Amino acid sequence: MQLANILVIGCGILSSALCMDKQRAHELVKNQGIKVADAIVIKNTSDYSKAISTLQFPLFVKPVKAGSSYGISKVLDIQDLKPAIDNAFKYDNEVIIEEAILGRKVGCAIIGKDILEVGLVDEIELADGFFDYHEKYTLKTSKIHLPARIDELTTKKIQDTAMLIYRTLGCQGSARVDMFLTNNNEIYFNEVNTIPGFTTHSRFPQMMKGIGYDFIELIDRIIEMGLKDGNDCTE
């Protein structure tokens, strides 16, 4: 739609592409001094010996460019690494293997371009495994805490980090920034979702509801910002 010069709300083409690419997004964010998981990227199924020698289990194996946790596996030991890599290559021609970050998964909803508004920080509590496709859309064994079970100072630090990530990756309009918070209160970048779930019970609207936006008002605000920016959305 942007190439056809049709006005679109939300992140532009460059930002959307960067945020979909886990490797390149992590490199840009890391250059801002924000921690990311140790990782390597491979381009074929047999090129994973470096992961065994340089990374510590447990590992996450992911397509570099994919969403909704498609093709992602949590690997606890070496015998499961190759099948996980084979699975990830079904979704992309590049695969990233990264060390698991032990801690809580937290997220921030953000709207705006130059002046940003940040919703309440939420926290995903997992009974086991990771927040895969099934859990994202059923929440059968996981629970979302809103606000997150953290103190005010840590909340502010997470929100500030999320805004820096948002700006670093050129986001505008709206996006959800997901991070990890370790037991030592260290923040690690995970990913940015430039088209977050947007039902009334989805994480993004719920986080913004926490700072006073009801569902309809939030939609109106995002559309209003898109109309105000005009052709900036076709950058």
Side-chain angles (χ1 to χ4, degrees):
M1 288 191 289
Q2 289 182 0
L3 290 173
N5 205 32
I6 297 171
L7 189 64
V8 180
I9 61 172
C11 297
I13 294 171
L14 176 59
S15 176
S16 299
L18 283 173
C19 291
M20 180 62 77
D21 190 310
K22 296 175 179 64
Q23 177 195 11
R24 289 158 184 84
H26 279 210
E27 288 176 351
L28 288 169
V29 170
K30 185 179 181 180
N31 285 338
Q32 293 296 318
I34 298 169
K35 294 179 182 295
V36 299
D38 289 338
I40 66 165
V41 172
I42 61 175
K43 299 182 183 297
N44 60 72
T45 56
S46 60
D47 186 24
Y48 65 95
S49 58
K50 187 178 178 182
I52 300 170
S53 61
T54 62
L55 301 177
Q56 300 293 318
F57 288 91
L59 301 172
F60 277 100
V61 178
K62 309 174 181 179
V64 168
K65 301 174 290 293
S68 291
S69 296
Y70 278 114
I72 296 180
S73 303
K74 185 175 183 179
V75 179
L76 301 179
D77 51 55
I78 192 171
Q79 66 188 28
D80 295 324
L81 183 57
K82 181 64 162 55
I85 291 171
D86 291 340
N87 182 51
F89 270 115
K90 294 177 182 177
Y91 298 89
D92 195 10
N93 62 349
E94 294 180 305
V95 167
I96 187 168
I97 305 170
E98 61 184 30
E99 290 185 357
I101 303 300
L102 301 179
R104 318 180 194 193
K105 186 171 183 179
V106 294
C108 281
I110 302 178
I111 62 173
K113 183 178 179 182
D114 299 317
I115 299 173
L116 305 182
E117 295 181 80
V118 188
L120 290 183
V121 177
D122 76 354
E123 172 194 347
I124 298 170
E125 180 183 3
L126 296 174
D128 191 24
F130 69 100
F131 206 46
D132 60 10
Y133 180 89
H134 181 73
E135 278 300 317
K136 283 181 177 180
Y137 298 105
T138 65
L139 294 177
K140 284 192 174 182
T141 64
S142 57
K143 184 177 181 180
I144 296 177
H145 296 276
L146 184 68
R149 299 171 296 177
I150 53 178
D151 60 54
E152 186 175 339
L153 185 62
T154 304
T155 297
K156 179 67 163 55
K157 185 179 177 183
I158 288 171
Q159 291 174 324
D160 289 345
T161 302
M163 286 190 287
L164 177 56
I165 293 168
Y166 185 96
R167 289 191 169 106
T168 297
L169 296 176
C171 299
Q172 65 180 43
S174 61
R176 192 190 72 235
V177 182
D178 290 339
M179 295 154 285
F180 294 105
L181 179 68
T182 71
N183 294 332
N184 296 323
N185 273 359
E186 293 180 310
I187 298 169
Y188 280 75
F189 171 54
N190 182 29
E191 64 180 357
V192 174
N193 193 324
T194 57
I195 309 178
F198 227 106
T199 67
T200 54
H201 63 273
S202 296
R203 293 174 62 201
F204 187 99
Q206 288 298 313
M207 285 189 271
M208 296 306 296
K209 184 178 180 180
I211 62 168
Y213 281 98
D214 66 33
F215 188 67
I216 299 301
E217 182 185 10
L218 177 61
I219 293 173
D220 287 345
R221 177 71 180 122
I222 293 172
I223 292 173
E224 180 183 278
M225 287 187 295
L227 292 171
K228 180 181 178 182
D229 288 335
N231 288 333
D232 286 351
C233 289
T234 62
E235 61 188 11

